[in-house]
Structures are given as C-alpha cells and as structure tokens.
Amino acid sequence: IISTPPKSHYAIAENSLLKGIPVLIEKPLTLNKQEALNLRRISESHKTLLMTEFTQIYNPKFTQLKKSIKLAGKIMKINTIASNFGPIRKETPVLWDWGSHELSILISLLEEIPSNIEAIKTMEKLNNSGEASSWDIICEFKNGITTNSSISNIENKQRKVSVIGSKGTIILDDFGKYPLRFYEKIKAIDFTNEIGQEINIEKKEKPLFESLKNFFNCIRNKEKRHWSLDLGVQVTELLAQCSRNF
C-alpha cells in the first residue's frame, strides 16, 4: 500500500510491480500522465495487480446514490462540493489532492470521461506549510451534461453531490443528518424549504475499510486487473490537462 507524497508513487510502485507485488496507490496515481501510462503497462506486462485508492467511490452513501440515480431521470447537471480547513501539503497540489476525488465520482456516475475540462483558481491564501486554495473544476460531457466541482482546503468542512435530472434532484450530503435524499420535480439548488424523500443506505461501513477490503479480496482471488487502474490513469490525464496553466 503506497500512501506517500504523489511524486514518489511512480518509483515505489514500479519497483513493487517488477517484483510481482500487488500494489494499492492512494490517489492520485501519479502527477504525470506518462508515469501513469507506464505503471499500467508494467502492471499488464507483469500480470501484477495495481489499484488506485479512490476512497469516495467506496463510500456506501455514494454507492447508494449510484444505485438510485435513475430516480432523477435524464441527467442534466451535477454539482459537487468538497472542502475542509486542511490538510495543507507542500508536495501535493490542492487541484490534484481534492480534484482526484471529484473526477472519480463524476466518471463513475456518468460512466464516461468529460469531453472538455477546465480548472479555475477562485481563492488563494499565503501559507508557509504548503498550498492553501480553492478551485472550481468545470466539465462538459456528452448529451449536454455539465458539471461543476468546488474544492478547497481553506473552507468549512463539507462533501456534497447534487444530481439534477428531468424528474428531480438527488442530493448526497456526506455529513448531513439525512445523507441521501430525492427531491421530486425540483431542479433548483436551494432546498431550504423542501423535505424530500429519504433514500435508505444499505451499508454502513467506512469507505476506507471498504476500499482496503476490496484490495485484499482481489489479492486472495489472484486478480491481475482492476477497474480502478484505468480510472486512475483517466483522472491523471484530466488533471494534467486542466493544470497546464498553473
């Protein structure tokens, strides 16, 4: 399991894969598109398991959102918010640290990669310990679907996903009293006066526990390939693309 600064991911993973050791890498897979592609090639050629650890994909609340997404009808827009006061890291850019989660969520929900992506830095504060900033990641997908992901390590703690469709809106509020609700026929963002229909969350396990359990099960089953590797490469390519100007 590799949970080190992203710049070190490639060398550690390459060394392990060449020895036939299964590897789980904390997101982002790497900070470099070519390194990500190389790791996938090595994993495939040596028939050795390589997984990217996207914690939020294993969140039972997100899993239930994905199962319930048809309630919203034809998807028109998705908004995500992820923020907290910290962590402040010198070796991991905020765009990569937080953006990896949001892009993995969007790609998993829509089962495709965006046709266009743009990142905008909306706020920055001086901090000697590392980067402290806020960002918007704007994506366009097929069929006119647009997404906006607001990420920050200098704002109040929250994690939300809003799926707006032709039949209503589903909201995942990870830290809310009612973490998953469906608002029929409502396509607005402000739900102050609305109650909504609570969606039952079947599993209660912690996301990280689910992720690690999946990794160990793959090892027990002698699996050589996992979908999270391709997702890790896709997210790396997208973040490399939208961070060129920064």
Side-chain angles (χ1 to χ4, degrees):
I1 297 174
I2 300 174
S3 182
T4 58
K7 287 184 179 179
S8 66
H9 285 182
Y10 181 80
I12 300 171
E14 180 188 35
N15 184 55
S16 299
L17 291 170
L18 291 174
K19 294 178 180 177
I21 300 171
V23 176
L24 175 67
I25 301 182
E26 182 185 18
K27 59 76 196 164
L29 181 60
T30 66
L31 297 177
N32 180 287
K33 173 183 173 180
Q34 193 56 54
E35 288 183 349
L37 292 171
N38 285 345
L39 286 180
R40 181 166 65 182
R41 177 184 54 78
I42 295 169
S43 170
E44 291 173 345
S45 64
H46 284 72
K47 295 181 173 56
T48 302
L49 179 68
L50 173 58
M51 294 173 56
T52 316
E53 199 282 301
F54 290 110
T55 309
Q56 295 307 316
I57 299 298
Y58 292 94
N59 187 337
K61 299 166 191 174
F62 174 77
T63 303
Q64 196 62 47
L65 167 62
K66 195 170 181 179
K67 289 180 180 178
S68 308
I69 200 165
K70 289 184 178 179
L71 288 172
K74 182 181 179 182
I75 299 174
M76 298 181 292
K77 186 175 180 63
I78 299 177
N79 295 310
T80 76
I81 301 173
S83 59
N84 200 358
F85 290 110
I88 307 294
R89 296 185 170 116
K90 281 188 176 181
E91 297 181 303
T92 309
V94 172
L95 183 59
W96 288 77
D97 196 16
W98 293 77
S100 295
H101 281 310
E102 305 316 291
L103 289 175
S104 70
I105 286 171
L106 296 173
I107 293 171
S108 180
L109 280 176
L110 297 175
E111 297 182 341
E112 62 177 280
I113 61 173
S115 55
N116 190 48
I117 184 169
E118 179 185 10
I120 301 170
K121 186 184 290 186
T122 58
M123 188 188 309
E124 185 171 19
K125 292 184 177 180
L126 293 175
N127 192 305
N128 294 329
S129 299
E131 184 186 357
S133 58
S134 301
W135 298 75
D136 281 343
I137 303 173
I138 302 161
C139 297
E140 295 177 3
F141 290 79
K142 292 178 181 177
N143 301 319
I145 299 173
T146 59
T147 67
N148 188 91
S149 297
S150 297
I151 57 175
S152 177
N153 65 346
I154 51 174
E155 297 184 38
N156 290 326
K157 183 178 182 178
Q158 56 180 326
R159 175 167 289 284
K160 293 182 180 180
V161 180
S162 302
V163 180
I164 304 165
S166 59
K167 295 181 180 179
T169 297
I170 305 175
I171 293 186
L172 188 164
D173 184 353
D174 202 15
F175 305 118
K177 183 178 179 181
Y178 304 104
L180 195 59
R181 282 184 173 269
F182 172 59
Y183 299 83
E184 189 174 4
K185 298 180 180 179
I186 297 178
K187 302 170 188 175
I189 303 300
D190 186 5
F191 295 87
T192 305
N193 300 316
E194 302 295 335
I195 297 175
Q197 170 191 338
E198 186 174 358
I199 299 174
N200 182 53
I201 299 166
E202 299 170 0
K203 300 176 74 174
K204 306 296 182 183
E205 287 83 357
K206 297 290 185 181
L208 183 57
F209 172 81
E210 287 291 300
S211 174
L212 293 175
K213 184 173 72 172
N214 185 252
F215 177 54
F216 297 139
N217 284 338
C218 286
I219 294 174
R220 291 190 190 98
N221 296 331
K222 298 182 179 180
E223 296 181 28
K224 309 299 182 186
R225 199 77 165 78
H226 193 267
W227 53 263
S228 65
L229 174 54
D230 288 331
L231 182 57
V233 173
Q234 290 168 344
V235 168
T236 298
E237 290 177 326
L238 289 167
L239 288 171
Q241 179 182 335
C242 69
S243 62
R244 286 172 184 165
N245 297 326
F246 301 100

